[in-house]
Amino acid sequence: MVVVLEHDIRDSHKQRIREFLEQHGFQVREIVGVEETIFGAVGPVSIDIRNVEVLPGVDKVVPISKPYKLASRELKKSDSVVHIGRIAFGGPRMTVVAGPCAVEGREEIMEAARIVRKSGAVMLRGGAFKPRTSPYSFQGLGEEGLRYLKEAGEANGMPVISEIVSPLHVDMMRDYVDMFQIGTRNMQNFELLKAVGAAEKPIMLKRGLCSTIEEWLMAAEYLLAHGAEDVILCERGIRTFETYTRNSLDISSIPVVKKLSHLPIVVDPSHATGIRAKVPPVARAAVAAGADGIIVEVHPDPDRALSDGAQSLFPEQFEKLMRDIEAMTPVVGRELMRLPEPQENRPAFRGTDRTEHEVVRVAFQGARGAYSETALLRYFQSRETVPTPVSSFRDVFTAVLEGHVEYGMVPLENSLAGSVHENYDLLLQFPDIRIVAETQIRVEHCLIGRPEAELGHIHTVYSHPQGLAQCRAYLEESGFKQMPYYDTAGSVAWIAGCNDDGVAAIASADAARIYGMKVLREGIEQNPHNYTRFAVIARLEHPDVDRPNRCSLVLSTPDSPGALSKCLNVLASYELNLKKLESRPIPGKPWSYMFYLDVEIPEDMSRFERGIAEFASYTEDFRLLGKYRV
Ligand code: PEP
Ligand code: MN
């Protein structure tokens, strides 16, 4: 059952409730949520819930109807996020685990780790105990393999995961792995589940070859009931009558599990298909269906792999898959989790005494919950971040310049509304500030009401005029009165303070969460291709970005025939690729224009430097706004 505690409950009452439940044979777990704190009470006992309801400090008691209790969404409404050091499974990130099927030797796993890390994997996989169909197939290197796996993970800054097949291995393996994997064949090995559940380590639980979703969630329940705090589910295909692929991936299990459980779910496209060429499309489908990550087999030389070579990706296929996933994630409102560059290349703010401070403060314009805040939380996801709202774009620049924050996040361009000229102008006005990175988010508008609001009773909707305009079709059809507000997230704060359940706002789901409001309708924007590109800005003293591949420039040209074309010819002759060109009137100089350019930086840095120097010689005014990686 779920025991919802009163908001201002006293510690002594909390303690009494816990003791009461434990005395009656329940296991009690405290879950602190944004909206409420609950005790989840489970056990092989039953009780008249009225005896709990009358205890001081109890708001209400809700029975859990499903056979799995701790794994159930009824117990915990918000998505669980499993953290392993800097990486996480669940939440707004897509997490990619990669590596060979089996650890075959020190050199092989070192090479595999280097390759997958370079392409962007954040966790390393590799089996040391291989449950093979034939006793004559390679069985894994056992503890020696785990030693190599750990070494390879550490050398590349990645946590590691490996399969456990026996309760006798728990203590030995605990020192080597960051996450236990329970394989498909052992999903219902209940003694193994009990032992691994008690091991105080995160666990990835693969779906059994022939298991229903309910059996799978019951196996997760075993882990949770025996003490596991962090469980991730892994859909890896099930047996069907189809023989073309090794298994049949049950893609619909992703949304089904998301509805039934709060646990993160990842997909293993390698064991699901068994055929290398089928792995990338199936992995992309998993991303589209809402998986929290994928675990994929990659081998430095798959033709020589000792196990599962036919389904292991070549390194270049994995690199391509990572790029595809990165391109797809904004469409499903996510961001691909990337580990920061190794320490020496990591952008840390220099120039104040806060040099290597782990917490980064990032200024953005608008109220809490603004789309800029979503962008910065996603971009700085691997670091502890303090979003700092300020009231104007100029204030973002000033906060960065004066060192009140390490970074600022400002929108540069929206795919529907075009450039945010004010920020380009500010980049010119603040020569001590430059762009150090860029990030994009997909703008998804929600209709947000007060906690008790009903869609049928809404009469008036507040939002920024652009938010209203981007949802015009939906608003016209609904017949709501439209009221402009100075920003989207601010309109949510405004309805939170209203005493009328008939008012609503248009903003992001993040804004609804931050102000404790309710999402009444998601995705009400007319055009789903609504992206905003943001710049991360920092002071000039910020260390150079490692291997930049894009730069932004602003320039004006002499007032003479062919001036712009001469500049562009220089770019062409140095084979420098132009990604954006936009003209804009120069403030105070009617009918004179400056140009904004984004140029790709090639691998050959010296060609770029020479090209840009010559290019600059043809301009009148030239400013480099930043070199960064996209
Ligand atoms: C594996 O991940 O190497 C493995 C054996 O997977 P499964 O248990 O899904 O077959
Ligand atoms: Mn395998």
Side-chain angles (χ1 to χ4, degrees), residues 23-24 86 124 197 202 218 316 329 343 374 401 501 532 608:
Q23 276 158 11
H24 284 78
R86 292 180 298 170
L124 179 65
M218 288 308 287
E316 45 296 359
T329 41
Q343 194 71 31
T374 300
L401 188 68
D501 282 341
T532 300
F608 169 77

Side-chain angles (χ1 to χ4, degrees), residues 413 419 421 424 533 550-557 563-569 571 576-584 593-600 615 619:
E413 192 172 358
S419 288
H421 292 122
Y424 277 106
R533 200 177 132 226
R550 184 74 54 90
C551 76
S552 295
L553 314 165
V554 181
L555 57 100
S556 60
T557 56
L564 180 63
S565 133
K566 277 186 197 141
C567 294
L568 297 182
N569 281 339
L571 292 185
L576 296 174
N577 195 19
L578 191 61
K579 299 299 284 186
K580 168 178 173 151
L581 173 62
E582 189 179 354
S583 69
R584 165 147 168 71
Y593 296 88
M594 56 194 170
F595 300 95
Y596 294 122
L597 280 77
D598 284 357
V599 178
E600 250 177 16
F615 176 84
T619 64

Side-chain angles (χ1 to χ4, degrees), residues 348-349 353-361 383-384 406:
F349 179 69
D353 51 356
R354 280 184 297 271
T355 314
E356 294 304 328
H357 207 294
E358 262 308 298
V359 179
V360 281
R361 291 154 308 168
R383 302 183 66 176
E384 206 182 326
E406 280 73 47

Side-chain angles (χ1 to χ4, degrees), residues 349-352 354 397-407 432-434 436 537-543:
F349 179 69
R350 288 214 214 106
T352 76
R354 280 184 297 271
F397 281 75
T398 308
V400 175
L401 188 68
E402 294 180 357
H404 302 304
V405 292
E406 280 73 47
Y407 297 98
D432 289 328
I433 285 184
R434 60 176 161 145
V436 291
I537 57 169
R539 274 173 37 168
L540 207 54
E541 305 93 296
H542 189 285

Side-chain angles (χ1 to χ4, degrees), residues 415-416 442-443 445 470-471 524-531:
S415 56
L416 303 180
R442 177 173 164 213
V443 178
H445 291 308
Q470 290 175 0
C471 303
I524 57 169
E525 69 278 9
Q526 220 152 313
N527 187 338
H529 302 288
N530 185 357
Y531 297 89

Side-chain angles (χ1 to χ4, degrees), residues 101-102 125 130 246 271 297 307-308 311:
C101 178
R125 61 152 289 148
K130 297 304 303 173
R246 186 170 172 183
H271 294 88
E297 289 184 341
S307 67
D308 285 349
Q311 69 191 31

